[in-house]
Amino acid sequence: YPADAAECYQELAKLVDSEERIECQLLATSLFIRSGRFEMVRDQLQELTRALRLPEPKPPLWSRIALTANGMRLALQAKLASRANKESMGVLIQRVQEDRYQQQRLKLCISLARPLSMFDNLYAAELNVAGAMLALKHGDEVARIHSQVGESVFGCYDRGIHRKRSEAMLAKLRTQVAELNHSRAKGDLWSGIAFSHALACRWEQVPQPVQKSIEHFEAVTDSNRFELAHTQWLDLWANWHLGRWDVLTRLSDSMFDDATRRSDLFQQLVTTGGFGGAAWLVREKLEVLAIIRAKHGEYSCEQKQTQMFHVFDWITSMQSLLYAGDYAQAWSEFRSMQPKLRHMPYSR
């Protein structure tokens, strides 16, 4: 059980030295996210980010300012690194072991940026930029690709020039990843490609890269379940938009059973929320879905800004009301959520 394990790591952190304490706190934070205890994440992150001198959660305006400034710094550092370093793009760089402090900073950014994007999108983007800068100095090629893919996905949120540049970056990375031939890097890349298609509503082009991403992630022995869950829910949404109900229900059952077996509430949330909730409705299981959603509501976190987990819950609520024939309430809920969507950290 992730929550119990997280509490154990918290207790262990009190008994070990400073370096081991940070490792234990990082594991506890990851497990709290996986167990759906989002309210615990900020307390853990506050302590970790201060200890590692990384960006801390902040109000949206300050996050946007920090993102702009650090994005410019990252672009400059990338150019300088490209000129100074002529190493082959296709070879996994074996660097001399860096200071453990820097590795811990990089590990936190890489481990948490994507899962955090579900409920603090701006802060997740800020962590990804911080991780990208650290990867340039202290990471290997796999870490740099991971951060570049993350940067591309965040860039795809906004249609127009930002999305075009981000999709061009993903296309450029395909050659680099092919030469590198590393399963984790391939999983990251195909996950990013799947997100780029989903954010542009190219639903027919989503399932194939999702499947490729899952195959490569599963080939990594220490594969992060966050990456699998964070990518696979796109397949649920694509199948809903394409009307592939049999595929939708089979995939939903598989994901939900796997999440339940591992007590992974994060995966349960992305499986039953959003368009994934339709897998219960098409089989006339409205009451079962309502019970599951009520249980998940016990672990919800308070966020002033509208985040992706709000959108997931809103879509499921709307579909449930429409399925039950309560059109007036569905319309009322739509009107109440509509202005909030305009103030999301990124326009989609």
Side-chain angles (χ1 to χ4, degrees), residues 89-92 141-142 144-146 148-149 169-190 193 216:
M89 295 288 282
V91 178
L92 179 61
E141 197 74 9
V142 176
R144 291 204 292 273
I145 288 170
H146 179 93
Q148 286 179 293
V149 170
M169 183 186 295
L170 288 170
K172 184 178 179 180
L173 283 172
R174 289 185 68 166
T175 301
Q176 182 178 343
V177 170
E179 293 175 354
L180 184 62
N181 195 28
H182 190 284
S183 292
R184 183 178 293 280
K186 289 179 180 179
D188 282 332
L189 174 63
W190 285 108
I193 292 172
H216 291 303

PDB file of all heavy atoms in Angstrom, residues 89-92 141-142 144-146 148-149 169-190 193 216:
ATOM      1  N   MET A  89      25.426  12.625 -30.648  1.00  0.00           N
ATOM      2  CA  MET A  89      24.054  12.645 -30.148  1.00  0.00           C
ATOM      3  C   MET A  89      23.513  11.244 -29.935  1.00  0.00           C
ATOM      4  O   MET A  89      22.580  11.047 -29.173  1.00  0.00           O
ATOM      5  CB  MET A  89      23.167  13.372 -31.164  1.00  0.00           C
ATOM      6  CG  MET A  89      23.510  14.838 -31.316  1.00  0.00           C
ATOM      7  SD  MET A  89      23.008  15.801 -29.890  1.00  0.00           S
ATOM      8  CE  MET A  89      21.260  15.933 -30.258  1.00  0.00           C
ATOM      9  N   GLY A  90      24.089  10.244 -30.616  1.00  0.00           N
ATOM     10  CA  GLY A  90      23.525   8.904 -30.560  1.00  0.00           C
ATOM     11  C   GLY A  90      24.154   7.997 -29.534  1.00  0.00           C
ATOM     12  O   GLY A  90      23.830   6.826 -29.478  1.00  0.00           O
ATOM     13  N   VAL A  91      25.067   8.516 -28.713  1.00  0.00           N
ATOM     14  CA  VAL A  91      25.759   7.680 -27.744  1.00  0.00           C
ATOM     15  C   VAL A  91      25.324   8.060 -26.348  1.00  0.00           C
ATOM     16  O   VAL A  91      25.300   9.241 -25.996  1.00  0.00           O
ATOM     17  CB  VAL A  91      27.298   7.819 -27.870  1.00  0.00           C
ATOM     18  CG1 VAL A  91      28.000   6.963 -26.817  1.00  0.00           C
ATOM     19  CG2 VAL A  91      27.747   7.426 -29.265  1.00  0.00           C
ATOM     20  N   LEU A  92      24.959   7.058 -25.552  1.00  0.00           N
ATOM     21  CA  LEU A  92      24.596   7.318 -24.165  1.00  0.00           C
ATOM     22  C   LEU A  92      25.823   7.801 -23.419  1.00  0.00           C
ATOM     23  O   LEU A  92      26.807   7.085 -23.294  1.00  0.00           O
ATOM     24  CB  LEU A  92      24.059   6.044 -23.499  1.00  0.00           C
ATOM     25  CG  LEU A  92      23.663   6.190 -22.019  1.00  0.00           C
ATOM     26  CD1 LEU A  92      22.554   7.226 -21.872  1.00  0.00           C
ATOM     27  CD2 LEU A  92      23.224   4.852 -21.465  1.00  0.00           C
ATOM     28  N   GLU A 141      22.265  11.554 -21.481  1.00  0.00           N
ATOM     29  CA  GLU A 141      21.420  11.834 -22.636  1.00  0.00           C
ATOM     30  C   GLU A 141      19.965  11.466 -22.374  1.00  0.00           C
ATOM     31  O   GLU A 141      19.052  12.152 -22.838  1.00  0.00           O
ATOM     32  CB  GLU A 141      21.935  11.066 -23.851  1.00  0.00           C
ATOM     33  CG  GLU A 141      21.417  11.565 -25.176  1.00  0.00           C
ATOM     34  CD  GLU A 141      22.056  12.883 -25.592  1.00  0.00           C
ATOM     35  OE1 GLU A 141      23.013  13.332 -24.950  1.00  0.00           O
ATOM     36  OE2 GLU A 141      21.566  13.474 -26.564  1.00  0.00           O
ATOM     37  N   VAL A 142      19.739  10.405 -21.612  1.00  0.00           N
ATOM     38  CA  VAL A 142      18.369   9.973 -21.313  1.00  0.00           C
ATOM     39  C   VAL A 142      17.644  11.033 -20.496  1.00  0.00           C
ATOM     40  O   VAL A 142      16.473  11.356 -20.745  1.00  0.00           O
ATOM     41  CB  VAL A 142      18.371   8.623 -20.571  1.00  0.00           C
ATOM     42  CG1 VAL A 142      16.955   8.222 -20.175  1.00  0.00           C
ATOM     43  CG2 VAL A 142      18.986   7.535 -21.447  1.00  0.00           C
ATOM     44  N   ARG A 144      18.316  14.230 -20.399  1.00  0.00           N
ATOM     45  CA  ARG A 144      18.094  15.426 -21.210  1.00  0.00           C
ATOM     46  C   ARG A 144      16.910  15.215 -22.157  1.00  0.00           C
ATOM     47  O   ARG A 144      16.102  16.129 -22.372  1.00  0.00           O
ATOM     48  CB  ARG A 144      19.363  15.775 -21.985  1.00  0.00           C
ATOM     49  CG  ARG A 144      20.493  16.261 -21.084  1.00  0.00           C
ATOM     50  CD  ARG A 144      21.472  17.114 -21.865  1.00  0.00           C
ATOM     51  NE  ARG A 144      22.219  16.326 -22.838  1.00  0.00           N
ATOM     52  CZ  ARG A 144      23.344  15.671 -22.572  1.00  0.00           C
ATOM     53  NH1 ARG A 144      23.826  15.685 -21.329  1.00  0.00           N
ATOM     54  NH2 ARG A 144      23.985  15.001 -23.497  1.00  0.00           N
ATOM     55  N   ILE A 145      16.789  14.020 -22.711  1.00  0.00           N
ATOM     56  CA  ILE A 145      15.657  13.726 -23.595  1.00  0.00           C
ATOM     57  C   ILE A 145      14.352  13.786 -22.807  1.00  0.00           C
ATOM     58  O   ILE A 145      13.351  14.333 -23.283  1.00  0.00           O
ATOM     59  CB  ILE A 145      15.840  12.351 -24.261  1.00  0.00           C
ATOM     60  CG1 ILE A 145      16.948  12.432 -25.316  1.00  0.00           C
ATOM     61  CG2 ILE A 145      14.534  11.866 -24.895  1.00  0.00           C
ATOM     62  CD1 ILE A 145      17.376  11.092 -25.869  1.00  0.00           C
ATOM     63  N   HIS A 146      14.352  13.229 -21.609  1.00  0.00           N
ATOM     64  CA  HIS A 146      13.164  13.255 -20.755  1.00  0.00           C
ATOM     65  C   HIS A 146      12.682  14.693 -20.549  1.00  0.00           C
ATOM     66  O   HIS A 146      11.488  14.993 -20.682  1.00  0.00           O
ATOM     67  CB  HIS A 146      13.488  12.610 -19.404  1.00  0.00           C
ATOM     68  CG  HIS A 146      12.339  12.596 -18.439  1.00  0.00           C
ATOM     69  ND1 HIS A 146      11.468  11.536 -18.320  1.00  0.00           N
ATOM     70  CD2 HIS A 146      11.903  13.531 -17.552  1.00  0.00           C
ATOM     71  CE1 HIS A 146      10.558  11.806 -17.408  1.00  0.00           C
ATOM     72  NE2 HIS A 146      10.803  13.019 -16.927  1.00  0.00           N
ATOM     73  N   GLN A 148      13.469  17.376 -22.382  1.00  0.00           N
ATOM     74  CA  GLN A 148      13.088  17.994 -23.657  1.00  0.00           C
ATOM     75  C   GLN A 148      11.692  17.564 -24.093  1.00  0.00           C
ATOM     76  O   GLN A 148      10.919  18.367 -24.621  1.00  0.00           O
ATOM     77  CB  GLN A 148      14.110  17.638 -24.738  1.00  0.00           C
ATOM     78  CG  GLN A 148      15.428  18.370 -24.609  1.00  0.00           C
ATOM     79  CD  GLN A 148      16.413  17.958 -25.702  1.00  0.00           C
ATOM     80  OE1 GLN A 148      16.879  16.816 -25.738  1.00  0.00           O
ATOM     81  NE2 GLN A 148      16.719  18.880 -26.595  1.00  0.00           N
ATOM     82  N   VAL A 149      11.376  16.295 -23.868  1.00  0.00           N
ATOM     83  CA  VAL A 149      10.030  15.818 -24.198  1.00  0.00           C
ATOM     84  C   VAL A 149       9.003  16.542 -23.328  1.00  0.00           C
ATOM     85  O   VAL A 149       7.953  16.985 -23.815  1.00  0.00           O
ATOM     86  CB  VAL A 149       9.925  14.291 -24.009  1.00  0.00           C
ATOM     87  CG1 VAL A 149       8.466  13.840 -24.104  1.00  0.00           C
ATOM     88  CG2 VAL A 149      10.762  13.564 -25.058  1.00  0.00           C
ATOM     89  N   MET A 169      10.355  20.006 -32.330  1.00  0.00           N
ATOM     90  CA  MET A 169      11.350  19.478 -31.403  1.00  0.00           C
ATOM     91  C   MET A 169      11.179  17.966 -31.228  1.00  0.00           C
ATOM     92  O   MET A 169      12.156  17.210 -31.204  1.00  0.00           O
ATOM     93  CB  MET A 169      11.233  20.159 -30.038  1.00  0.00           C
ATOM     94  CG  MET A 169      12.290  19.710 -29.037  1.00  0.00           C
ATOM     95  SD  MET A 169      12.056  20.392 -27.368  1.00  0.00           S
ATOM     96  CE  MET A 169      12.319  22.134 -27.699  1.00  0.00           C
ATOM     97  N   LEU A 170       9.925  17.517 -31.137  1.00  0.00           N
ATOM     98  CA  LEU A 170       9.668  16.084 -31.010  1.00  0.00           C
ATOM     99  C   LEU A 170      10.128  15.334 -32.263  1.00  0.00           C
ATOM    100  O   LEU A 170      10.695  14.240 -32.166  1.00  0.00           O
ATOM    101  CB  LEU A 170       8.174  15.835 -30.774  1.00  0.00           C
ATOM    102  CG  LEU A 170       7.629  16.215 -29.396  1.00  0.00           C
ATOM    103  CD1 LEU A 170       6.105  16.139 -29.382  1.00  0.00           C
ATOM    104  CD2 LEU A 170       8.216  15.315 -28.313  1.00  0.00           C
ATOM    105  N   ALA A 171       9.890  15.926 -33.426  1.00  0.00           N
ATOM    106  CA  ALA A 171      10.326  15.294 -34.673  1.00  0.00           C
ATOM    107  C   ALA A 171      11.852  15.191 -34.717  1.00  0.00           C
ATOM    108  O   ALA A 171      12.413  14.176 -35.159  1.00  0.00           O
ATOM    109  CB  ALA A 171       9.815  16.098 -35.869  1.00  0.00           C
ATOM    110  N   LYS A 172      12.529  16.216 -34.251  1.00  0.00           N
ATOM    111  CA  LYS A 172      13.993  16.207 -34.218  1.00  0.00           C
ATOM    112  C   LYS A 172      14.515  15.159 -33.246  1.00  0.00           C
ATOM    113  O   LYS A 172      15.520  14.491 -33.502  1.00  0.00           O
ATOM    114  CB  LYS A 172      14.499  17.590 -33.831  1.00  0.00           C
ATOM    115  CG  LYS A 172      16.012  17.734 -33.858  1.00  0.00           C
ATOM    116  CD  LYS A 172      16.421  19.153 -33.498  1.00  0.00           C
ATOM    117  CE  LYS A 172      17.945  19.295 -33.496  1.00  0.00           C
ATOM    118  NZ  LYS A 172      18.353  20.690 -33.135  1.00  0.00           N
ATOM    119  N   LEU A 173      13.817  14.984 -32.145  1.00  0.00           N
ATOM    120  CA  LEU A 173      14.241  14.017 -31.134  1.00  0.00           C
ATOM    121  C   LEU A 173      14.121  12.574 -31.618  1.00  0.00           C
ATOM    122  O   LEU A 173      14.813  11.686 -31.104  1.00  0.00           O
ATOM    123  CB  LEU A 173      13.425  14.190 -29.848  1.00  0.00           C
ATOM    124  CG  LEU A 173      13.802  15.371 -28.943  1.00  0.00           C
ATOM    125  CD1 LEU A 173      12.779  15.519 -27.827  1.00  0.00           C
ATOM    126  CD2 LEU A 173      15.200  15.174 -28.367  1.00  0.00           C
ATOM    127  N   ARG A 174      13.256  12.318 -32.593  1.00  0.00           N
ATOM    128  CA  ARG A 174      13.066  10.941 -33.074  1.00  0.00           C
ATOM    129  C   ARG A 174      14.374  10.367 -33.614  1.00  0.00           C
ATOM    130  O   ARG A 174      14.698   9.205 -33.358  1.00  0.00           O
ATOM    131  CB  ARG A 174      11.978  10.901 -34.146  1.00  0.00           C
ATOM    132  CG  ARG A 174      10.584  11.143 -33.595  1.00  0.00           C
ATOM    133  CD  ARG A 174       9.499  10.977 -34.633  1.00  0.00           C
ATOM    134  NE  ARG A 174       9.359   9.582 -35.055  1.00  0.00           N
ATOM    135  CZ  ARG A 174       8.319   9.126 -35.743  1.00  0.00           C
ATOM    136  NH1 ARG A 174       7.340   9.953 -36.080  1.00  0.00           N
ATOM    137  NH2 ARG A 174       8.257   7.868 -36.110  1.00  0.00           N
ATOM    138  N   THR A 175      15.125  11.170 -34.353  1.00  0.00           N
ATOM    139  CA  THR A 175      16.411  10.701 -34.882  1.00  0.00           C
ATOM    140  C   THR A 175      17.396  10.451 -33.751  1.00  0.00           C
ATOM    141  O   THR A 175      18.090   9.425 -33.719  1.00  0.00           O
ATOM    142  CB  THR A 175      16.998  11.741 -35.854  1.00  0.00           C
ATOM    143  OG1 THR A 175      16.079  11.952 -36.919  1.00  0.00           O
ATOM    144  CG2 THR A 175      18.331  11.259 -36.410  1.00  0.00           C
ATOM    145  N   GLN A 176      17.435  11.362 -32.812  1.00  0.00           N
ATOM    146  CA  GLN A 176      18.343  11.241 -31.676  1.00  0.00           C
ATOM    147  C   GLN A 176      18.033   9.999 -30.842  1.00  0.00           C
ATOM    148  O   GLN A 176      18.933   9.247 -30.461  1.00  0.00           O
ATOM    149  CB  GLN A 176      18.231  12.492 -30.795  1.00  0.00           C
ATOM    150  CG  GLN A 176      19.167  12.513 -29.592  1.00  0.00           C
ATOM    151  CD  GLN A 176      19.013  13.800 -28.808  1.00  0.00           C
ATOM    152  OE1 GLN A 176      18.466  14.783 -29.306  1.00  0.00           O
ATOM    153  NE2 GLN A 176      19.497  13.807 -27.582  1.00  0.00           N
ATOM    154  N   VAL A 177      16.749   9.768 -30.581  1.00  0.00           N
ATOM    155  CA  VAL A 177      16.339   8.617 -29.769  1.00  0.00           C
ATOM    156  C   VAL A 177      16.592   7.312 -30.509  1.00  0.00           C
ATOM    157  O   VAL A 177      17.000   6.307 -29.909  1.00  0.00           O
ATOM    158  CB  VAL A 177      14.859   8.754 -29.364  1.00  0.00           C
ATOM    159  CG1 VAL A 177      14.347   7.464 -28.730  1.00  0.00           C
ATOM    160  CG2 VAL A 177      14.692   9.914 -28.388  1.00  0.00           C
ATOM    161  N   ALA A 178      16.370   7.303 -31.811  1.00  0.00           N
ATOM    162  CA  ALA A 178      16.611   6.090 -32.611  1.00  0.00           C
ATOM    163  C   ALA A 178      18.080   5.692 -32.544  1.00  0.00           C
ATOM    164  O   ALA A 178      18.411   4.508 -32.429  1.00  0.00           O
ATOM    165  CB  ALA A 178      16.175   6.315 -34.049  1.00  0.00           C
ATOM    166  N   GLU A 179      18.971   6.659 -32.606  1.00  0.00           N
ATOM    167  CA  GLU A 179      20.404   6.371 -32.540  1.00  0.00           C
ATOM    168  C   GLU A 179      20.824   5.948 -31.134  1.00  0.00           C
ATOM    169  O   GLU A 179      21.691   5.103 -30.954  1.00  0.00           O
ATOM    170  CB  GLU A 179      21.191   7.605 -32.977  1.00  0.00           C
ATOM    171  CG  GLU A 179      21.008   7.964 -34.448  1.00  0.00           C
ATOM    172  CD  GLU A 179      21.712   9.249 -34.822  1.00  0.00           C
ATOM    173  OE1 GLU A 179      22.240   9.919 -33.903  1.00  0.00           O
ATOM    174  OE2 GLU A 179      21.745   9.593 -36.017  1.00  0.00           O
ATOM    175  N   LEU A 180      20.178   6.535 -30.142  1.00  0.00           N
ATOM    176  CA  LEU A 180      20.507   6.196 -28.749  1.00  0.00           C
ATOM    177  C   LEU A 180      20.068   4.776 -28.409  1.00  0.00           C
ATOM    178  O   LEU A 180      20.748   4.055 -27.682  1.00  0.00           O
ATOM    179  CB  LEU A 180      19.832   7.201 -27.818  1.00  0.00           C
ATOM    180  CG  LEU A 180      20.119   7.097 -26.323  1.00  0.00           C
ATOM    181  CD1 LEU A 180      21.595   7.304 -26.035  1.00  0.00           C
ATOM    182  CD2 LEU A 180      19.285   8.131 -25.560  1.00  0.00           C
ATOM    183  N   ASN A 181      18.870   4.387 -28.913  1.00  0.00           N
ATOM    184  CA  ASN A 181      18.340   3.029 -28.720  1.00  0.00           C
ATOM    185  C   ASN A 181      18.244   2.656 -27.245  1.00  0.00           C
ATOM    186  O   ASN A 181      18.742   1.618 -26.811  1.00  0.00           O
ATOM    187  CB  ASN A 181      19.210   2.005 -29.468  1.00  0.00           C
ATOM    188  CG  ASN A 181      18.502   0.663 -29.608  1.00  0.00           C
ATOM    189  OD1 ASN A 181      17.272   0.612 -29.642  1.00  0.00           O
ATOM    190  ND2 ASN A 181      19.277  -0.406 -29.681  1.00  0.00           N
ATOM    191  N   HIS A 182      17.560   3.493 -26.480  1.00  0.00           N
ATOM    192  CA  HIS A 182      17.362   3.264 -25.048  1.00  0.00           C
ATOM    193  C   HIS A 182      15.862   3.215 -24.770  1.00  0.00           C
ATOM    194  O   HIS A 182      15.114   4.107 -25.164  1.00  0.00           O
ATOM    195  CB  HIS A 182      18.024   4.389 -24.249  1.00  0.00           C
ATOM    196  CG  HIS A 182      18.093   4.144 -22.783  1.00  0.00           C
ATOM    197  ND1 HIS A 182      17.014   4.267 -21.949  1.00  0.00           N
ATOM    198  CD2 HIS A 182      19.145   3.767 -21.993  1.00  0.00           C
ATOM    199  CE1 HIS A 182      17.374   3.996 -20.703  1.00  0.00           C
ATOM    200  NE2 HIS A 182      18.660   3.690 -20.707  1.00  0.00           N
ATOM    201  N   SER A 183      15.395   2.163 -24.090  1.00  0.00           N
ATOM    202  CA  SER A 183      13.959   1.940 -23.916  1.00  0.00           C
ATOM    203  C   SER A 183      13.266   3.088 -23.191  1.00  0.00           C
ATOM    204  O   SER A 183      12.166   3.505 -23.578  1.00  0.00           O
ATOM    205  CB  SER A 183      13.712   0.631 -23.162  1.00  0.00           C
ATOM    206  OG  SER A 183      14.090  -0.478 -23.944  1.00  0.00           O
ATOM    207  N   ARG A 184      13.874   3.608 -22.135  1.00  0.00           N
ATOM    208  CA  ARG A 184      13.222   4.688 -21.391  1.00  0.00           C
ATOM    209  C   ARG A 184      13.092   5.938 -22.263  1.00  0.00           C
ATOM    210  O   ARG A 184      12.053   6.607 -22.263  1.00  0.00           O
ATOM    211  CB  ARG A 184      13.994   5.022 -20.118  1.00  0.00           C
ATOM    212  CG  ARG A 184      13.311   6.096 -19.266  1.00  0.00           C
ATOM    213  CD  ARG A 184      14.072   6.374 -18.001  1.00  0.00           C
ATOM    214  NE  ARG A 184      14.054   5.239 -17.096  1.00  0.00           N
ATOM    215  CZ  ARG A 184      13.025   4.944 -16.300  1.00  0.00           C
ATOM    216  NH1 ARG A 184      11.934   5.698 -16.321  1.00  0.00           N
ATOM    217  NH2 ARG A 184      13.080   3.907 -15.490  1.00  0.00           N
ATOM    218  N   ALA A 185      14.149   6.252 -23.018  1.00  0.00           N
ATOM    219  CA  ALA A 185      14.100   7.417 -23.902  1.00  0.00           C
ATOM    220  C   ALA A 185      13.027   7.233 -24.977  1.00  0.00           C
ATOM    221  O   ALA A 185      12.307   8.172 -25.323  1.00  0.00           O
ATOM    222  CB  ALA A 185      15.467   7.655 -24.540  1.00  0.00           C
ATOM    223  N   LYS A 186      12.912   6.006 -25.508  1.00  0.00           N
ATOM    224  CA  LYS A 186      11.879   5.731 -26.509  1.00  0.00           C
ATOM    225  C   LYS A 186      10.485   5.881 -25.898  1.00  0.00           C
ATOM    226  O   LYS A 186       9.569   6.428 -26.525  1.00  0.00           O
ATOM    227  CB  LYS A 186      12.050   4.323 -27.064  1.00  0.00           C
ATOM    228  CG  LYS A 186      13.272   4.141 -27.958  1.00  0.00           C
ATOM    229  CD  LYS A 186      13.379   2.700 -28.439  1.00  0.00           C
ATOM    230  CE  LYS A 186      14.596   2.486 -29.337  1.00  0.00           C
ATOM    231  NZ  LYS A 186      14.719   1.080 -29.775  1.00  0.00           N
ATOM    232  N   GLY A 187      10.314   5.385 -24.668  1.00  0.00           N
ATOM    233  CA  GLY A 187       9.023   5.524 -24.001  1.00  0.00           C
ATOM    234  C   GLY A 187       8.655   6.981 -23.793  1.00  0.00           C
ATOM    235  O   GLY A 187       7.509   7.394 -24.022  1.00  0.00           O
ATOM    236  N   ASP A 188       9.631   7.788 -23.355  1.00  0.00           N
ATOM    237  CA  ASP A 188       9.391   9.218 -23.165  1.00  0.00           C
ATOM    238  C   ASP A 188       8.985   9.891 -24.469  1.00  0.00           C
ATOM    239  O   ASP A 188       8.034  10.681 -24.515  1.00  0.00           O
ATOM    240  CB  ASP A 188      10.654   9.898 -22.619  1.00  0.00           C
ATOM    241  CG  ASP A 188      10.853   9.657 -21.133  1.00  0.00           C
ATOM    242  OD1 ASP A 188       9.850   9.448 -20.429  1.00  0.00           O
ATOM    243  OD2 ASP A 188      12.011   9.692 -20.682  1.00  0.00           O
ATOM    244  N   LEU A 189       9.718   9.591 -25.543  1.00  0.00           N
ATOM    245  CA  LEU A 189       9.452  10.238 -26.821  1.00  0.00           C
ATOM    246  C   LEU A 189       8.054   9.909 -27.335  1.00  0.00           C
ATOM    247  O   LEU A 189       7.293  10.813 -27.715  1.00  0.00           O
ATOM    248  CB  LEU A 189      10.493   9.813 -27.858  1.00  0.00           C
ATOM    249  CG  LEU A 189      10.230  10.316 -29.280  1.00  0.00           C
ATOM    250  CD1 LEU A 189      10.279  11.828 -29.338  1.00  0.00           C
ATOM    251  CD2 LEU A 189      11.223   9.699 -30.265  1.00  0.00           C
ATOM    252  N   TRP A 190       7.706   8.620 -27.352  1.00  0.00           N
ATOM    253  CA  TRP A 190       6.396   8.239 -27.887  1.00  0.00           C
ATOM    254  C   TRP A 190       5.261   8.745 -27.000  1.00  0.00           C
ATOM    255  O   TRP A 190       4.167   9.062 -27.482  1.00  0.00           O
ATOM    256  CB  TRP A 190       6.319   6.729 -28.080  1.00  0.00           C
ATOM    257  CG  TRP A 190       7.090   6.265 -29.273  1.00  0.00           C
ATOM    258  CD1 TRP A 190       8.265   5.573 -29.294  1.00  0.00           C
ATOM    259  CD2 TRP A 190       6.760   6.518 -30.649  1.00  0.00           C
ATOM    260  NE1 TRP A 190       8.687   5.361 -30.581  1.00  0.00           N
ATOM    261  CE2 TRP A 190       7.783   5.929 -31.445  1.00  0.00           C
ATOM    262  CE3 TRP A 190       5.710   7.176 -31.286  1.00  0.00           C
ATOM    263  CZ2 TRP A 190       7.774   5.992 -32.832  1.00  0.00           C
ATOM    264  CZ3 TRP A 190       5.702   7.236 -32.679  1.00  0.00           C
ATOM    265  CH2 TRP A 190       6.714   6.649 -33.430  1.00  0.00           C
ATOM    266  N   ILE A 193       4.834  12.300 -28.125  1.00  0.00           N
ATOM    267  CA  ILE A 193       4.146  12.345 -29.417  1.00  0.00           C
ATOM    268  C   ILE A 193       2.642  12.104 -29.231  1.00  0.00           C
ATOM    269  O   ILE A 193       1.809  12.775 -29.857  1.00  0.00           O
ATOM    270  CB  ILE A 193       4.748  11.311 -30.384  1.00  0.00           C
ATOM    271  CG1 ILE A 193       6.181  11.725 -30.764  1.00  0.00           C
ATOM    272  CG2 ILE A 193       3.886  11.158 -31.635  1.00  0.00           C
ATOM    273  CD1 ILE A 193       6.948  10.688 -31.556  1.00  0.00           C
ATOM    274  N   HIS A 216       7.750   0.322 -24.590  1.00  0.00           N
ATOM    275  CA  HIS A 216       9.116   0.693 -24.215  1.00  0.00           C
ATOM    276  C   HIS A 216       9.252   0.915 -22.708  1.00  0.00           C
ATOM    277  O   HIS A 216      10.258   0.526 -22.115  1.00  0.00           O
ATOM    278  CB  HIS A 216       9.541   1.942 -24.978  1.00  0.00           C
ATOM    279  CG  HIS A 216       9.730   1.713 -26.449  1.00  0.00           C
ATOM    280  ND1 HIS A 216      10.603   0.771 -26.945  1.00  0.00           N
ATOM    281  CD2 HIS A 216       9.157   2.297 -27.539  1.00  0.00           C
ATOM    282  CE1 HIS A 216      10.568   0.781 -28.270  1.00  0.00           C
ATOM    283  NE2 HIS A 216       9.695   1.701 -28.646  1.00  0.00           N
TER     284      HIS A 216
END
